[in-house]
Amino acid sequence: MASLTGSAVSVSAPVMRRIKATNGASSLNSVSFFGQKRSFSSSARLRISCAAKQETVDKVCEIVRKQLAIPEDTTVTGESKFSELGADSLDTVEIVMGLEESFDISVDENSAQEIATVKDAAEMIDKLIACK
Amino acid sequence: MFVLRLFHRDMLPPIGSAISRRLSTTLFPLPSAPLPSRREAHVWYIKPEEINDSSSLKQYTDLLSPCEKRGVLSLSGEQLQKNAILARTLVRTTLSRYCDGRVDPRSIKFKKGLYGKPEIMWQDGDNIIKRPLQFSLSHTSSLIACAVALETPLGIDVEENKRKTVNSVISVARRYFTASEVEYLAAIPYPDIQQKEFIHLWTLKEAYVKAIGRGFSGAPFKNFTIQMGSNKRAPKLHIEAGSDCEGLTDNCQFALMELNGSHVVAICMERDRAISDDENNLLSLKVWRTIPLIEDEFISETEALKYICSLS
């Protein structure tokens, strides 16, 4: 495919190292540089409360990988957006079902609507579990 | 020498021909399409597998807005990026067809409706016709489709007809569908047919929530039932009693078809309240396969299109 003109790829190293991909490899090594841009907001780093547990993030990544049949060389991290991974609405509902089953929780449609990234899902899960 | 090869709408392209695939240097005017009539939906679709040359993709990319280009770059992997380029190209070129050659596909601006449904945002300007075009876009990895109507809101959803769910069909239905839909599916003894019927229901429900502009999260699937007709009759919609479904209309029509033996396409169009006579209120469809700016093929009335539920 033609290489697209785009802004220079910027990958914020600290962000990538912070969250390990579930396949065990350092996500920094497996980053694809094909025009992929990860925007890193400094305000996210300062958020102390509500940060999802690493364990939850990893489990969510695993469920997402399975649902979307994501190839091994594609990185899935907490920052990954479901839409950017190619999830359509049927995938999204199945991901939510997978999360509900894995974590023994119940997700209402409004909460499901607010989940855009793996991290969002993990945070919501941790909150739901804490409230049980 | 750049050549725009455009087939007459009713012609099939020669099979196996080595068509010189080069885009015209003048991107517009695009071939004009006659406007859809009142109860008509026009569907234009792309098969991504048919478009692989980098120069075409580069030219398509040039049609996109800066924001769309950024959106494409944010996607993971070549396939997703290519399909996103094709999807935006399809929307822009399709809408441009219905503007008498006076609107450059690059110039079209979009906005989002109340619940996020994309709409055209006509700009003030000399050459702009502010046509009340309604459109809806859907894609799977192997098919991208754009439906257009004049004035009447519509929604389209496409899915591979062999799409399998990771969870069982019944468990997904129990979680998201209404009790009567679950009952309907559960009564089907053959897994293959059950899976197909699930996909039919799914695409019809998606088409509906897109037509009413709410999307999946704005109109949860448990709030309404799609009742499949017997003997290939058109499906009907019922709003569930007691659902918090403010503004959900049941005044709409559906079309369900199979394309190329590989994809299910569902269309939902709101009925015209002004016309009470059902005879005059039937939904009709015209369908084209396209490689934007290169070739169009009218495929209604060919073997490529089969109605799963009849329109009349």
Side-chain angles (χ1 to χ4, degrees):
Chain A
M1 161 163 174
S3 62
L4 299 169
T5 53
S7 50
V9 172
S10 65
V11 175
S12 177
V15 176
M16 300 308 281
R17 249 185 236 124
R18 178 161 59 92
I19 298 172
K20 248 168 49 172
T22 52
N23 61 11
S26 158
S27 46
L28 190 58
N29 291 338
S30 56
V31 164
S32 142
F33 282 93
F34 186 77
Q36 212 165 345
K37 207 172 78 165
R38 293 252 185 261
S39 67
F40 173 63
S41 138
S42 57
S43 63
R45 208 207 285 243
L46 294 174
R47 238 172 46 199
I48 299 161
S49 59
C50 310
K53 291 191 210 134
Q54 187 53 51
E55 195 185 319
T56 314
V57 171
D58 288 347
K59 214 165 164 188
V60 174
C61 282
E62 196 185 301
I63 291 168
V64 169
R65 272 194 179 279
K66 183 177 152 202
Q67 176 64 40
L68 303 180
I70 293 178
E72 279 302 308
D73 57 358
T74 301
T75 317
V76 180
T77 69
E79 307 298 320
S80 299
K81 277 193 182 168
F82 296 124
S83 57
E84 289 169 6
L85 292 171
D88 63 16
S89 55
L90 184 48
D91 289 315
T92 307
V93 306
E94 289 215 88
I95 288 170
V96 171
M97 280 179 71
L99 298 177
E100 289 181 331
E101 202 181 291
S102 263
F103 294 97
D104 190 26
I105 50 171
S106 181
V107 181
D108 63 79
E109 315 292 37
N110 285 328
S111 310
Q113 188 182 334
E114 269 146 49
I115 303 172
T117 64
V118 166
K119 192 158 63 79
D120 292 340
E123 283 171 6
M124 177 200 67
I125 290 163
D126 284 344
K127 255 192 219 134
L128 286 170
I129 292 175
C131 292
K132 277 211 302 185
Chain B
M1 201 54 102
F2 285 89
V3 170
L4 176 64
R5 294 246 182 205
L6 199 65
F7 295 93
H8 185 273
R9 241 167 233 106
D10 299 326
M11 253 169 68
L12 291 171
I15 296 168
S17 63
I19 298 170
S20 165
R21 305 228 152 150
R22 296 205 196 130
L23 296 175
S24 170
T25 44
T26 55
L27 287 176
F28 97 110
L30 264 139
S32 272
L35 293 174
S37 65
R38 205 156 191 172
R39 294 307 300 156
E40 213 173 52
H42 286 185
V43 178
W44 297 80
Y45 73 89
I46 290 176
K47 289 166 82 169
E49 69 192 18
E50 293 182 348
I51 306 172
N52 290 302
D53 64 300
S54 52
S55 69
S56 296
L57 289 168
K58 172 76 174 64
Q59 298 233 21
Y60 290 155
T61 305
D62 288 341
L63 296 177
L64 273 47
S65 69
C67 177
E68 285 168 339
K69 285 178 193 165
R70 280 196 296 276
V72 166
L73 290 172
S74 73
L75 299 173
S76 317
E78 280 191 29
Q79 195 58 41
L80 285 182
Q81 295 197 1
K82 171 185 162 184
N83 283 10
I85 294 166
L86 294 178
R88 297 316 304 163
T89 300
L90 181 63
V91 173
R92 288 178 173 278
T93 54
T94 299
L95 292 173
S96 182
R97 292 174 194 273
Y98 295 99
C99 297
D100 303 334
R102 286 154 61 187
V103 173
D104 186 329
R106 283 170 291 206
S107 69
I108 301 175
K109 293 214 184 318
F110 298 93
K111 60 180 177 177
K112 292 214 165 141
L114 190 58
Y115 287 90
K117 178 172 183 172
E119 296 167 3
I120 302 169
M121 184 164 68
W122 292 116
Q123 308 287 292
D124 289 324
D126 291 343
N127 282 336
I128 301 299
I129 326 162
K130 297 181 186 184
R131 286 248 152 90
L133 294 171
Q134 297 281 342
F135 70 95
S136 176
L137 178 71
S138 177
H139 45 98
T140 68
S141 55
S142 49
L143 192 86
I144 304 167
C146 181
V148 179
L150 202 57
E151 291 193 40
T152 313
L154 83 173
I156 184 172
D157 195 56
V158 303
E159 196 51 80
E160 287 169 7
N161 60 2
K162 291 192 165 50
R163 169 85 182 254
K164 296 258 186 290
T165 48
V166 169
N167 301 283
S168 80
V169 153
I170 292 298
S171 63
V172 181
R174 278 210 183 98
R175 175 64 182 78
Y176 290 102
F177 285 6
T178 63
S180 29
E181 287 165 339
V182 174
E183 205 179 302
Y184 171 78
L185 288 171
I188 301 169
Y190 307 105
D192 286 353
I193 300 182
Q194 194 186 64
Q195 178 263 338
K196 268 203 165 149
E197 288 300 302
F198 171 84
I199 294 299
H200 294 168
L201 281 174
W202 182 271
T203 51
L204 287 164
K205 289 170 88 82
E206 272 286 320
Y208 170 70
V209 300
K210 288 167 89 163
I212 64 173
R214 291 242 186 160
F216 182 78
S217 42
F221 280 10
K222 275 207 193 287
N223 285 347
F224 62 94
T225 291
I226 300 267
Q227 189 181 14
M228 298 300 288
S230 53
N231 294 327
K232 291 193 159 192
R233 283 213 190 86
K236 288 205 167 110
L237 181 115
H238 302 283
I239 306 293
E240 290 290 298
S243 63
D244 50 307
C245 50
E246 197 188 316
L248 292 196
T249 177
D250 62 356
N251 194 29
C252 52
Q253 278 182 292
F254 294 92
L256 190 68
M257 359 172 231
E258 189 179 72
L259 205 49
N260 303 311
S262 57
H263 289 83
V264 173
V265 179
I267 305 220
C268 176
M269 201 152 146
E270 288 191 19
R271 267 183 215 268
D272 196 328
R273 277 167 182 73
I275 302 178
S276 55
D277 182 1
D278 274 343
E279 288 285 326
N280 291 328
N281 213 9
L282 293 171
L283 172 58
S284 70
L285 287 177
K286 288 203 165 102
V287 183
W288 289 265
R289 180 188 64 84
T290 182
I291 299 176
L293 307 171
I294 293 176
E295 95 189 27
D296 298 333
E297 182 191 348
F298 183 62
I299 67 127
S300 301
E301 291 149 35
T302 70
E303 283 300 302
L305 186 67
K306 287 189 162 61
Y307 286 100
I308 299 170
C309 303
S310 60
L311 293 180
S312 54

